[in-house]
Amino acid sequence: AQKITQTQPGMFVQEKEAVTLDCTYDTSDQSYGLFWYKQPSSGEMIFLIYQGSYDEQNATEGRYSLNFQKARKSANLVISASQLGDSAMYFCAMREILQGAQKLVFGQGTRLTINP
Amino acid sequence: ETGVTQSPTHLIKTRGQQVTLRCSSQSGHNTVSWYQQALGQGPQFIFQYYREEENGRGNFPPRFSGLQFPNYSSELNVNALELDDSALYLCASSLSLAGGYNEQFFGPGTRLTVL
């Protein structure tokens, strides 16, 4: 079974600085997908970025980029020029097939706080 | 195009009671997944419904059950509530197509408190 590990319970960053949120994963599959979600205090999980295991380039979406190091089994999220609205919980997740269902396996999350 | 909606927003129950949570999937989606998120944890997969049938279940006891209706909306039922059932319950809808990944769109969740 897939496993996601996020070792940073909390991160504090000054506004406009870049921040890296760590994520390592464990899987025996050759083909897999990695996701990052943002969860504000309202509770909704907001999709940020996706990286496929066979994608040759690191994924980017606006201020979000994914530092994918396959040999190290890491998929760190980089947020450039952080904003106050980036304060939220961030979850790394991996797709897993279970009995025909496509489900997401999530890590424990990192709480990011942006200071003005 | 309307997004995923869930009701109620908050709910308080006592141990032993039963609860029903509801989810309306995004327009055009045919699959609904339910997740339980305990405080300070990542979401855990409960089960998934596709075309009104359960097609995958996580490590949750049978007192967690669900339904999917012809319009693809869904219900999560929990019987004999326990204190540990207190959590945020998230519903996610997707369009299941053969092959590839079916992106899941999450609703705002229902926060259940069991006293």
Side-chain angles (χ1 to χ4, degrees), chain B residues 58-104:
Chain B
N59 189 24
F60 281 82
R63 59 190 186 84
F64 285 79
S65 63
L67 284 173
Q68 187 181 31
F69 301 99
N71 66 354
Y72 303 123
S73 65
S74 177
E75 286 182 355
L76 165 65
N77 299 291
V78 187
N79 294 322
L81 283 168
E82 301 177 359
L83 297 180
D84 285 349
D85 296 334
S86 295
L88 179 68
Y89 288 85
L90 294 163
C91 166
S93 76
S94 57
L95 175 62
S96 289
L97 301 170
Y101 172 69
N102 311 315
E103 183 177 348
Q104 298 190 11

Side-chain angles (χ1 to χ4, degrees), chain B:
Chain B
E1 179 180 281
T2 56
V4 180
T5 60
Q6 293 185 243
S7 62
T9 306
H10 296 87
L11 202 52
I12 299 175
K13 291 284 187 178
T14 56
R15 270 188 308 175
Q17 285 189 312
Q18 179 266 343
V19 68
T20 297
L21 310 182
R22 295 178 175 81
C23 171
S24 291
S25 58
Q26 186 166 311
S27 177
H29 287 181
N30 57 12
T31 302
V32 173
S33 304
W34 286 92
Y35 293 82
Q36 180 196 64
Q37 185 178 16
L39 194 62
Q41 306 289 320
Q44 299 286 319
F45 176 76
I46 303 175
F47 44 52
Q48 185 178 92
Y49 278 82
Y50 170 65
R51 293 185 175 179
E52 303 177 53
E53 297 281 338
E54 184 184 292
N55 72 332
R57 187 181 184 91
N59 189 24
F60 281 82
R63 59 190 186 84
F64 285 79
S65 63
L67 284 173
Q68 187 181 31
F69 301 99
N71 66 354
Y72 303 123
S73 65
S74 177
E75 286 182 355
L76 165 65
N77 299 291
V78 187
N79 294 322
L81 283 168
E82 301 177 359
L83 297 180
D84 285 349
D85 296 334
S86 295
L88 179 68
Y89 288 85
L90 294 163
C91 166
S93 76
S94 57
L95 175 62
S96 289
L97 301 170
Y101 172 69
N102 311 315
E103 183 177 348
Q104 298 190 11
F105 295 81
F106 284 83
T110 293
R111 189 165 296 282
L112 173 66
T113 302
V114 182
L115 302 176

